[in-house]
């Protein structure tokens, strides 16, 4: 089951238009579709400086910093807009398969210059193999099998970890994914393409295994 609910919202922060998309989950019992979407005009981002790009490149390999940013939010009670209060909930563990699926999708978005939970269907959409892949297909293809529940958040244009976490937590569906007590593991990836519309692409893949 995929939880996907469409909700359009624009953010103008730090003189920059930011793009977010959060997918609910694929699990074992629901058939309802929920997906939260925030879109912004293309080509509205300032070019990354060499220092900003170096900082993001270093962050992309810093699993501990990415994990701590998520678990800091999960350690406190959070209000996810109209979805209500969540947490505190248990910290997540880093999972290499979820990281691999997040990296695959962030790379596909950056290379194909697209923005969706579905893959681009081009050569960079590896799991799709010629058709647009689904987020749970990428998670399975990267070795995260026998799962109880999986989910995905993506974002584009945010040039700092604090900025993307703020935007995700300010968006109810993204916030709900981050604060979901059903998840036990996560992987986060960042990809940069200065020739794309949003330049910086973020992907979070969440999951939990069946007992």
């Amino acid at each position: 089951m995929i939880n996907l609910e469409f909700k359009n919202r624009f953010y103008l922060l730090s003189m920059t238009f930011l793009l977010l998309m959060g997918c609910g989950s694929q699990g074992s019992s629901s058939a309802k579709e929920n997906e939260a979407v925030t879109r912004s005009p293309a080509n509205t981002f300032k070019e990354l400086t060499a220092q900003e790009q170096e900082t993001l490149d270093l962050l992309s390999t810093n699993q501990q910093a990415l994990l701590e940013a998520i678990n800091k939010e999960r350690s406190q009670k959070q209000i996810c807009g109209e979805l209500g209060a969540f947490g505190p909930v248990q910290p997540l563990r880093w999972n290499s398969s979820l990281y691999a699926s997040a990296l695959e999708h962030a790379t596909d978005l950056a290379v194909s210059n697209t923005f969706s939970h579905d893959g681009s269907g081009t050569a960079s959409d590896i799991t799709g193999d010629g058709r647009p892949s689904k987020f749970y297909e990428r998670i399975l293809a990267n070795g995260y099998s026998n799962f109880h529940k999986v989910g995905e958040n993506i974002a584009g244009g945010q040039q700092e970890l604090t900025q993307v976490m703020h935007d995700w937590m300010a968006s109810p569906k993204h916030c709900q994914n981050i604060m979901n007590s059903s998840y036990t593991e996560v992987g986060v990836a960042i990809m940069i393409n200065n020739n794309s519309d949003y330049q910086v692409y973020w992907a979070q893949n969440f999951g939990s295994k069946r007992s």
Side-chain angles (χ1 to χ4, degrees), residues 1 45 59-60 80 91 94 117 127 133-134 143 145 185 194 196 199:
M1 81 208 150
F45 302 107
L59 179 62
S60 68
C80 296
W94 189 269
H117 284 291
T127 296
S133 63
K134 301 297 184 181
S145 59
E185 299 175 301
N194 284 319
S196 65
Q199 299 184 51

Side-chain angles (χ1 to χ4, degrees), residues 84-112:
F86 294 83
V89 292
Q90 76 282 3
L92 299 177
R93 302 184 300 272
W94 189 269
N95 181 275
S96 59
S97 294
L98 292 174
Y99 166 71
S101 62
L103 181 61
E104 177 184 330
H105 194 45
T107 301
D108 179 31
L109 297 180
V111 171
S112 65

Side-chain angles (χ1 to χ4, degrees), residues 25-44:
S25 63
Q26 169 86 11
S28 57
S29 61
S30 170
K32 184 180 178 183
E33 290 194 277
N34 298 307
E35 186 172 285
V37 181
T38 300
R39 297 194 179 278
S40 61
N43 302 315
T44 58

